[in-house]
Amino acid sequence: GAVVSQHPSWVICKSGTSVKIECRSLDFQATTMFWYRQFPKQSLMLMATSNEGSKATYEQGVEKDKFLINHASLTLSTLTVTSAHPEDSSFYICSTKPGQGEYSPLHFGNGTRLTVT
Amino acid sequence: GNSVTQMEGPVTLSEEAFLTINCTYTATGYPSLFWYVQYPGEGLQLLLKATKADDKGSNKGFEATYRKETTSFHLEKGSVQVSDSAVYFCALSDNTDKLIFGTGTRLQVFP
């Protein structure tokens, strides 16, 4: 069964509003979570790395004030898209893994499809 | 910078046909290479991986060989099944947990 739960699976919001996406690790503690975004017919692009108890690390070109990440516990990271616009419509996916080391595989959530009208 | 290019889909095959999904990469150094699969309604799952040149990753009948000379990591399966219908993503990492993905290739297998 799923070890990473992502919610909601899809959301429609009006332009200018904010949307929060949750990513939970179900069977393990996750000190690090990764947030990806996928536009239609394009690659998954890493947006940011979320670290429990500290500030997230954003990839170049990703606005940290627009995509707020909170990783307040070892099992939950949230991504809030603030003042959403139609160009933010995309598929957002989180991933994480239990433990450290190269042999610990990444687990992915099912993704959240955001549509901004 | 590092990048991954994979063939566009959809790839449509009959059951028991041979599958190849091409993947090439650009990277500095010696990346690890991965194939992930996303079945309908589910999250991405690691299918196989290879961490150095000439390594062959294999799982569930799928194989891919890390070819440094051609910078490729093509996915193959000798006989596909309807249950293999999914989206397949090629990816690389510079040996951190950060993955760089290809665009994904949708495979449709018909009985």
Side-chain angles (χ1 to χ4, degrees):
Chain A
V3 296
V4 176
S5 173
Q6 190 171 338
H7 178 81
S9 56
W10 59 271
V11 58
I12 300 173
C13 71
K14 292 185 177 180
S15 187
T17 62
S18 296
V19 174
K20 180 184 286 188
I21 302 170
E22 295 185 347
C23 181
R24 295 181 184 272
S25 57
L26 300 182
D27 300 322
F28 58 91
Q29 294 181 334
T31 55
T32 303
M33 289 187 177
F34 302 92
W35 287 96
Y36 289 85
R37 177 172 58 185
Q38 184 181 29
F39 292 107
K41 298 187 178 181
Q42 295 187 29
S43 303
L44 280 78
M45 301 297 294
L46 180 65
M47 299 175 64
T49 302
S50 164
N51 300 296
E52 188 270 335
S54 63
K55 291 183 178 180
T57 303
Y58 291 81
E59 297 299 304
Q60 190 172 12
V62 179
E63 300 176 59
K64 62 181 181 181
D65 294 331
K66 181 169 186 63
F67 298 100
L68 300 179
I69 291 174
N70 184 285
H71 194 158
S73 79
L74 286 170
T75 59
L76 173 65
S77 175
T78 61
L79 169 66
T80 300
V81 183
T82 63
S83 186
H85 291 285
E87 57 264 32
D88 298 324
S89 298
S90 187
F91 194 57
Y92 295 85
I93 304 172
C94 68
S95 74
T96 186
K97 70 176 189 179
Q100 306 293 322
E102 65 177 293
Y103 298 112
S104 183
L106 284 168
H107 297 281
F108 286 79
N110 286 7
T112 298
R113 184 163 301 284
L114 170 63
T115 301
V116 184
T117 60
Chain B
N2 296 346
S3 66
V4 174
T5 302
Q6 64 181 103
M7 61 190 291
E8 288 192 26
V11 173
T12 303
L13 295 173
S14 297
E15 207 165 24
E16 299 183 1
F18 184 86
L19 168 71
T20 300
I21 300 178
N22 289 340
C23 171
T24 57
Y25 67 91
T26 301
T28 55
Y30 302 93
S32 294
L33 302 173
F34 306 83
W35 276 100
Y36 280 83
V37 58
Q38 185 173 30
Y39 297 105
E42 300 183 17
L44 274 75
Q45 304 172 24
L46 178 64
L47 180 60
L48 55 83
K49 70 175 185 180
T51 57
K52 61 183 186 294
D54 299 325
D55 267 3
K56 177 186 284 187
S58 61
N59 185 24
K60 299 182 181 180
F62 291 89
E63 294 183 340
T65 301
Y66 189 141
R67 302 284 188 199
K68 187 168 176 59
E69 64 275 15
T70 55
T71 61
S72 65
F73 193 54
H74 304 322
L75 182 68
E76 297 182 337
K77 185 173 185 179
S79 176
V80 294
Q81 305 299 314
V82 173
S83 57
D84 293 326
S85 297
V87 181
Y88 292 82
F89 292 89
C90 186
L92 70 80
S93 80
D94 55 0
N95 299 312
T96 67
D97 287 322
K98 294 183 179 180
L99 291 168
I100 296 172
F101 287 90
T103 52
T105 302
R106 181 175 299 280
L107 170 65
Q108 297 174 322
V109 181
F110 293 96

